[in-house]
Amino acid sequence: MANATAPFHPIIYVRGYAMTEREQDETTADPFCGFNLGSTVYRATADKNQPAKKFVFESPVLRLMSDYGYADIYDNGLDIMDGEWEGRISTRSIIIYRYYEQASALLGSSKTPDISHFARGLSELILRVRDLACANPDNQLAPEDFRCYLVAHSMGGLVCRALLQNQSLSDGQARACVDKFFTYATPHNGIDMAGINVPQWLSAGDMNNFNRQNMAGYLKLEALYAKTGRVDWLPEKAFASERVFCLIGTNRADYGVAMGLSRSFAGHGSDGLVRIENASLWGVNAKGKLSAPCATAYAYRSHSGYFGIVNSEEAYQNLTRFLFGDVRVDIWADIDGVQLPPEIEGKTVNALYQFEVLGSPRGKRWYLTRRMAEEDSVACRSHQELTDPANKDARSIYLSTVFLANRARVNPVRPSLAYGLTLGVRVPDYEVERKFWADGHYEGGYLFHDTVIVEMVPPQQPGEAWTASFGWQSDNVGRATTPLSYKTLKTGKQVMSIAFGAARAPSITGRLRFVVSAWNA
């Protein structure tokens, strides 16, 4: 029997790292472990001299309740892991994995178990949720059809990965229940401080949980770690990479932990704790080869705090579109050519090209993804990579993934889903014959910078085709009037391409490639 309530499955939230005994006690004392925290301020730009602006976000818990009818599972002061609990579970339930209770002085032994222990506990919780949801006659749900979502912040994402990737730490039935996996600011490739990975011997506060060699053990990645030195790999045989979303924070400036020492040691290109380059995941096939990047988006939010990533509108919108949305769009830039300034053509040139992306749906004041040079979140390619005819892979650049939702349409009568995508390619610092070429440098300039509006109408009836149109804003502000052709892959996904750039020098030319597929169909 199919799951009639899809895509509205129970959400299990797994919070992040709590270092000190006080933080663990505060976590234990919080019924929702931080998932209930909202915010009223955000910074629109990276300029710290500007005052914070007011923008009320009520919290993920409240918004899931008000927007989608979700509810908590507490009954008479008890939760579902208490033997006296006698409540009922709806498939639209929010469950908090309260794994820090056993480590706190309030309800536990004041001794923190390792991540392997937390993964086993998560496995038990999933099966408990399954049994209670299937026992509720209102759900009309068989155990084999039960599914749930894992939503995790920071270290919580590593607990979830240990469950999914290390079969010795979880029940196979529990792993089979997981439908999608969403992470906020998870250090998928560990934590680096001052450019050095947290050492194995640093056991204080269990910081060595973020040591890559230790991570390779509990994530079952010893062979890949030995080969690559990295642990941000997700074997497809463990969990499908297309069912994972990584939201990455890029605002280190507003992370105030340890009086700002954390952001100082994490450095530029971080959220104040986790480096941007360490916060994404990549799928690998059975041969250990890269299969696909997991869906990734970027938000100008810090790791936690007033400007934290979990308590933000951007994160909530990415989360709900990923869980409940209707269309998935993977965005790539395929580079055809790079034209150098005539003065340095033919010389030995070293340069780094920076690709900026801003993506937002129609009618919204926030970005689903934001990659900016000033925030160190851009995609980068060297001049050698973009001009080497033998290196085709380097010229295909994954930028981000956005999910669109029919529910979010501004005009409910209008069937199209539309979004704006700003692409900018910064003029690099050209190094000619190993010397900086000052004569041709203008700080903040672009080889290409424009916004394209893409409007898509998914099939309204079985057998119908997609229709799509686009328009560059430099040609026609606010309009998408040019028909956009596409080809259909064997997987059923649609591939649409839009050319950008001009035949001049200096310049960059290529195509924006959108891989579009129905989501939750």
Side-chain angles (χ1 to χ4, degrees):
M1 181 174 63
N3 189 328
T5 62
F8 299 105
H9 306 308
I11 295 171
I12 299 177
Y13 176 67
V14 188
R15 71 147 285 150
Y17 175 62
M19 179 177 182
T20 66
E21 183 176 301
R22 178 180 176 181
E23 290 172 342
Q24 293 173 359
D25 288 346
E26 289 175 348
T27 299
T28 300
D30 185 340
F32 292 96
C33 294
F35 204 46
N36 53 314
L37 297 180
S39 63
T40 58
V41 292
Y42 73 66
R43 295 193 180 279
T45 70
D47 186 356
K48 295 285 287 185
N49 295 319
Q50 296 295 321
K53 294 186 178 181
K54 182 177 179 180
F55 184 94
V56 176
F57 172 67
E58 303 94 317
S59 83
V61 167
L62 284 179
R63 288 290 292 277
L64 284 165
M65 290 177 174
S66 62
D67 292 350
Y68 296 96
Y70 272 74
D72 65 66
I73 46 78
Y74 300 124
D75 181 64
N76 277 331
L78 304 174
D79 70 16
I80 60 175
M81 299 308 285
D82 193 300
E84 300 178 36
W85 192 88
E86 296 179 352
R88 292 158 62 105
I89 285 264
S90 163
T91 55
R92 299 199 193 203
S93 293
I94 300 171
I95 299 97
I96 307 299
Y97 179 31
R98 302 180 55 79
Y99 65 92
Y100 265 123
E101 286 184 354
Q102 55 198 304
S104 73
L106 290 175
L107 297 175
S109 64
S110 297
K111 296 180 180 179
T112 306
D114 59 24
I115 281 185
S116 298
H117 182 86
F118 294 150
R120 293 187 183 97
L122 179 57
S123 177
E124 295 172 2
L125 176 62
I126 291 172
L127 295 179
R128 174 68 167 157
V129 173
R130 180 200 64 180
D131 293 345
L132 291 171
C134 293
N136 185 345
D138 293 340
N139 295 329
Q140 300 183 1
L141 188 61
E144 61 269 21
D145 297 320
F146 171 81
R147 296 293 182 271
C148 66
Y149 299 131
L150 296 182
V151 177
H153 174 230
S154 192
M155 190 186 80
L158 301 181
V159 174
C160 295
R161 285 182 63 196
L163 166 106
L164 295 171
Q165 296 180 213
N166 191 336
Q167 294 185 12
S168 68
L169 303 180
S170 59
D171 188 293
Q173 294 183 54
R175 294 193 300 273
C177 290
V178 180
D179 185 76
K180 298 191 187 90
F181 173 35
F182 183 98
T183 67
Y184 307 91
T186 289
H188 289 295
N189 191 48
I191 288 180
D192 296 331
M193 287 293 169
I196 301 173
N197 184 218
V198 172
Q200 276 188 300
W201 51 261
L202 187 57
S203 58
D206 297 290
M207 280 293 290
N208 55 6
N209 281 331
F210 310 110
N211 171 268
R212 282 188 270 276
Q213 188 169 345
N214 285 352
M215 292 172 66
Y218 65 74
L219 295 175
K220 212 64 178 171
L221 290 173
E222 293 91 343
L224 278 169
Y225 172 70
K227 182 179 179 181
T228 65
R230 300 184 68 87
V231 289
D232 47 356
W233 310 116
L234 178 66
E236 298 284 357
K237 64 181 180 181
F239 195 76
S241 61
E242 69 172 10
R243 311 297 289 178
V244 179
F245 192 110
C246 301
L247 187 64
I248 301 174
T250 64
N251 176 10
R252 64 181 285 271
D254 285 316
Y255 189 60
V257 168
M259 300 181 67
L261 286 176
S262 174
R263 64 174 178 245
S264 297
F265 281 106
H268 291 282
S270 75
D271 62 7
L273 179 63
V274 179
R275 294 195 59 78
I276 293 170
E277 63 188 14
N278 289 337
S280 56
L281 266 178
W282 299 79
V284 291
N285 60 25
K287 296 181 179 179
K289 302 294 185 181
L290 178 67
S291 57
C294 294
T296 304
Y298 300 76
Y300 186 63
R301 305 290 295 193
S302 62
H303 191 77
S304 61
Y306 297 137
F307 306 97
I309 193 168
V310 176
N311 51 316
S312 70
E313 185 74 30
E314 301 96 317
Y316 173 76
Q317 294 295 338
N318 275 291
L319 171 67
T320 55
R321 281 166 164 76
F322 173 64
L323 297 184
F324 316 129
D326 302 289
V327 175
R328 171 180 179 146
V329 185
D330 298 307
I331 306 168
W332 297 73
D334 297 323
I335 305 305
D336 294 329
V338 175
Q339 292 293 322
L340 292 170
E343 302 92 322
I344 60 176
E345 187 68 48
K347 297 182 180 180
T348 302
V349 174
N350 186 31
L352 190 68
Y353 297 84
Q354 302 176 73
F355 293 81
E356 297 180 336
V357 180
L358 295 170
S360 61
R362 176 173 54 202
K364 307 303 180 184
R365 298 180 179 179
W366 32 261
Y367 296 112
L368 284 173
T369 191
R370 168 177 168 145
R371 307 186 69 173
M372 299 292 292
E374 289 81 3
E375 296 158 19
D376 304 301
S377 57
V378 289
C380 295
R381 289 292 188 274
S382 69
H383 184 73
Q384 287 77 9
E385 288 175 318
L386 294 184
T387 55
D388 181 2
N391 194 356
K392 294 182 179 180
D393 290 342
R395 297 201 299 275
S396 289
I397 305 164
Y398 172 68
L399 299 177
S400 272
T401 296
V402 297
F403 292 85
L404 305 175
N406 288 321
R407 182 182 187 277
R409 289 200 301 259
V410 176
N411 183 350
V413 179
R414 192 173 180 180
S416 65
L417 298 170
Y419 62 95
L421 186 79
T422 299
L423 174 67
V425 184
R426 285 290 183 99
V427 175
D429 291 335
Y430 295 110
E431 188 179 276
V432 181
E433 308 296 348
R434 298 187 178 183
K435 294 182 180 179
F436 172 59
W437 189 51
D439 288 347
H441 176 77
Y442 298 92
E443 189 65 32
Y446 287 89
L447 287 178
F448 178 84
H449 192 267
D450 204 347
T451 299
V452 63
I453 301 297
V454 180
E455 191 163 358
M456 298 178 296
V457 180
Q460 302 300 298
Q461 300 292 335
E464 287 186 356
W466 289 71
T467 59
S469 58
F470 75 96
W472 289 105
Q473 297 304 276
S474 58
D475 298 328
N476 197 353
V477 176
R479 300 291 180 184
T481 56
T482 303
L484 183 55
S485 60
Y486 62 86
K487 64 179 181 180
T488 303
L489 304 178
K490 292 181 179 179
T491 59
K493 297 180 179 181
Q494 318 295 328
V495 178
M496 308 174 184
S497 295
I498 301 174
F500 68 86
R504 55 176 174 77
S507 70
I508 187 167
T509 56
R511 289 159 289 115
L512 278 172
R513 173 164 50 97
F514 305 95
V515 182
V516 183
S517 57
W519 192 246
N520 289 319

